[in-house]
Amino acid sequence: MIVFTEEKKFTGEKVQELFLSVGWISGQYPARLYKALMNSSTVFTAWDGDRLVGLVRLLDDSEMVAYMHYVLVHPDYHGRGIAGKMMEMVKEKYKDYLYIEIMPEESRNAAFYERHGFHVMEDGVPMQLCNFSNRI
C-alpha cells in the first residue's frame, strides 16, 4: 500500500536513491538536494513501507503562484497512479492560488500534465540559466 504525506520525513540517502533511479543529475548532489527540499514550500512524498517511491516539490509565494519543480516516481512504480495522486494533492493544497505552474523538462511529459488540467501557456517559452560552475 502506498502512503502519501506532506511531512518532510525523507533522508538525503532516500532522496538520492529516488532521483538517481530516474537519472536526474540532482541525485549526484545529495546534500544540496536534501537542503533544497527541506527549504521548499511544499514536498509531497509517496512511500511503499520505508521506501521513497515518489516526490513532488513546489515553491510558492504564499498567495498567488506556486511553481511545481519536481514530479518523479521510481521506475519500479510507474503506472500505479502515484504521480496522479500527488498531482491531486497539489491541486487541492493550492486551489485558492491564481496559478500553479510547471515547466516540464521533457516535452514528452506534457501529456501527463494536460491530463491533470494544465495547458501550454499561450506564447510561453521556457528559459533557464545553468550555473554548473557551482557543483560543490
Side-chain angles (χ1 to χ4, degrees):
M1 183 172 110
I2 304 299
V3 175
F4 298 88
T5 184
E6 188 177 343
E7 183 182 347
K8 295 176 182 173
K9 65 179 186 175
F10 44 80
T11 64
E13 181 180 276
K14 291 191 183 297
V15 167
Q16 180 182 31
E17 179 185 331
L18 177 60
F19 277 69
L20 290 177
S21 78
V22 296
W24 286 13
I25 195 169
S26 308
Q28 296 175 19
Y29 307 94
R32 295 181 82 177
L33 177 59
Y34 178 78
K35 183 178 179 182
L37 290 170
M38 292 303 290
N39 287 294
S40 296
S41 307
T42 301
V43 180
F44 290 115
T45 53
W47 298 84
D48 184 3
D50 66 349
R51 185 177 188 190
L52 178 61
V53 299
L55 184 144
V56 174
R57 170 191 183 205
L58 293 102
L59 305 171
D60 70 63
D61 63 11
S62 78
E63 190 64 34
M64 295 182 65
V65 181
Y67 295 97
M68 197 166 10
H69 188 207
Y70 303 136
V71 179
L72 63 154
V73 173
H74 192 288
D76 293 348
Y77 290 81
H78 286 184
R80 298 188 190 184
I82 294 169
K85 171 63 176 168
M86 292 189 300
M87 293 299 296
E88 293 306 314
M89 294 169 73
V90 166
K91 292 191 307 188
E92 177 59 28
K93 177 169 182 169
Y94 290 101
K95 66 184 177 193
D96 294 327
Y97 279 57
L98 295 180
Y99 304 99
I100 303 172
E101 296 188 356
I102 178 84
M103 187 184 80
E105 298 203 8
E106 297 177 349
S107 59
R108 66 186 171 113
N109 293 333
F112 168 79
Y113 297 106
E114 288 173 337
R115 285 195 304 274
H116 290 279
F118 290 80
H119 57 274
V120 176
M121 294 168 53
E122 188 175 322
D123 201 31
V125 177
M127 299 179 79
Q128 181 180 58
L129 171 65
C130 295
N131 195 8
F132 290 127
S133 62
N134 292 327
R135 290 187 154 216
I136 298 172

